[in-house]
Amino acid sequence: MTSSTAAVPAGAPVTLGSAQAGATPPAGRRRAGVLVRGLVALTKPRIIELLLVTTVPTMLLAQRGLPSLRLVLVTLIGGTLAAGSANTINCYIDRDIDALMKRTSRRPLVVNGHGTIKPWEALAWGILLGAGATLLLGLMANWLAAALADAAILFYIFVYTLLLKRRSPSNIVIGGAAGCFPVLVGWAAVTDTVSLPAVVLFAVIFLWTPPHFWALAMKFRKDYAAANVPMLPVVASAAAVARKILWYSYAMVAATLVLIPYAGWIYGVFAAALGVWFLAEAHRLDARIAAADSAPADSPAASSPAPMRLFHLSIAYLTLLFAAVAVTALLPWGRW
């Protein structure tokens, strides 16, 4: 960032102390704290938190108990580095459209029109994080976990960001698979293999992602339209989006129930109850949109159908579902 120099009246005495007090860093220089905060922000920490919520319960289920603390920490740190790598390189590639969208216009590569982080720094940071994730998981967990983490990075960058995001309304459906890999990484870290329960958990997150993200995209539809990104809410009617949210919601709940034979009946009770909760909100959103479509334009019913309710509920749902996985994995009873 550039800095301005305070004006000094002609002939005014200048002491060393006063000059230092009013001094600002030379143009082009940034404080270390600004640089560090910018690099961290590029990794999208809030998204990483949600990814890690699924990792530890999966490891508990794979172990049928508590894995070693060392392995859990290695997997969490490695997963954080991998997700941070993918997110950072995504920000590097998408910096042009991020500048056009109000929701993303404050990201470090585009803030104030010039960015607090240089593009080459972001790319180097993303590559460094990916290399760190690979080495940490490979050397301290196993190479299958490392390979799966690398697959997630490459899938998110090349399939979602470069191939689909700007071209297809199915971008988040297919590209969202990248966010499902943490359960495979967690399972592989414990067992050095990928078994059916891990695949089921992968499917749960895969089917959860479209309702979660489409609800957000409905809220920020104008942003995506301004950036010419064909998210489903941009290219389809709100009613069509709500119907697809319902379809994926039912498929997701069905997938959660497939895990019951492995996770046990206590998990099944939680999964069923949480599924009813999620479906009720998905139906509520569908009903609101239908009411808005049929109401006069100036009536209260025609106002926003509040898709963010489903968005926030979906985060709570996934967190509670995986908490149920973790608890039942530790219980000595409740299995078939």
Side-chain angles (χ1 to χ4, degrees):
M1 291 187 294
T2 58
S3 57
S4 59
T5 305
V8 180
V14 178
T15 65
L16 179 60
S18 62
Q20 288 176 336
T24 55
R29 292 186 62 186
R30 295 158 295 172
R31 296 188 186 93
V34 171
L35 180 62
V36 170
R37 285 194 298 272
L39 292 174
V40 171
L42 288 175
T43 66
K44 305 178 186 177
R46 294 182 66 181
I47 295 177
I48 293 176
E49 289 174 10
L50 189 59
L51 296 176
L52 297 182
V53 160
T54 66
T55 302
V56 174
T58 300
M59 296 180 74
L60 297 178
L61 187 63
Q63 183 70 42
R64 290 290 196 179
L66 285 171
S68 71
L69 179 60
R70 171 187 169 279
L71 182 60
V72 171
L73 291 176
V74 164
T75 307
L76 288 179
I77 295 171
T80 297
L81 295 177
S85 170
N87 289 335
T88 298
I89 297 174
N90 168 265
C91 287
Y92 166 79
I93 295 168
D94 280 350
R95 63 191 185 278
D96 58 333
I97 59 176
D98 282 348
L100 302 175
M101 298 170 60
K102 183 178 180 181
R103 184 175 69 90
T104 57
S105 62
R106 301 294 298 173
R107 285 180 176 169
L109 279 168
V110 296
V111 64
N112 295 330
H114 54 76
T116 56
I117 301 295
K118 297 180 177 65
W120 73 265
E121 293 171 335
L123 181 60
W125 174 237
I127 294 171
L128 180 64
L129 290 173
T134 303
L135 292 174
L136 180 65
L137 289 170
L139 295 174
M140 301 190 70
N142 56 65
W143 288 105
L144 176 58
L148 289 168
D150 288 342
I153 296 171
L154 296 174
F155 194 94
Y156 190 68
I157 294 169
F158 290 100
V159 178
Y160 173 66
T161 306
L162 290 173
L163 180 63
L164 294 174
K165 184 173 181 177
R166 307 189 193 200
R167 293 181 176 88
S168 171
S170 298
N171 46 21
I172 199 63
V173 177
I174 301 170
C180 310
F181 275 83
V183 295
L184 301 184
V185 173
W187 191 279
V190 172
T191 67
D192 202 11
T193 187
V194 175
S195 304
L196 181 60
V199 175
V200 173
L201 291 172
F202 182 100
V204 168
I205 303 172
F206 181 81
L207 296 167
W208 169 88
T209 301
H212 168 74
F213 194 86
W214 284 337
L216 179 71
M218 290 177 75
K219 169 71 173 178
F220 295 101
R221 183 184 65 80
K222 292 181 181 179
D223 258 8
Y224 287 110
N228 201 28
V229 177
M231 292 296 175
L232 186 64
V234 173
V235 302
S237 68
V241 176
R243 283 195 300 272
K244 288 202 171 187
I245 285 176
L246 273 175
W247 298 343
Y248 276 92
S249 297
Y250 274 99
M252 174 196 69
V253 172
T256 66
L257 302 180
V258 173
L259 193 64
I260 293 176
Y262 190 87
W265 66 267
I266 294 179
Y267 159 82
V269 171
F270 281 103
L274 289 169
V276 169
W277 182 42
F278 194 100
L279 291 173
E281 184 58 36
H283 275 284
R284 190 174 292 115
L285 176 62
D286 182 58
R288 287 198 194 99
I289 290 173
D293 286 347
S294 61
D298 58 348
S299 71
S303 60
S304 173
M308 293 301 285
R309 278 188 50 145
L310 180 63
F311 173 78
H312 292 300
L313 183 147
S314 67
I315 296 173
Y317 168 85
L318 194 70
T319 302
L320 292 173
L321 181 73
F322 275 84
V325 170
V327 170
T328 54
L330 294 175
L331 291 176
W333 37 268
R335 301 170 191 161
W336 299 113

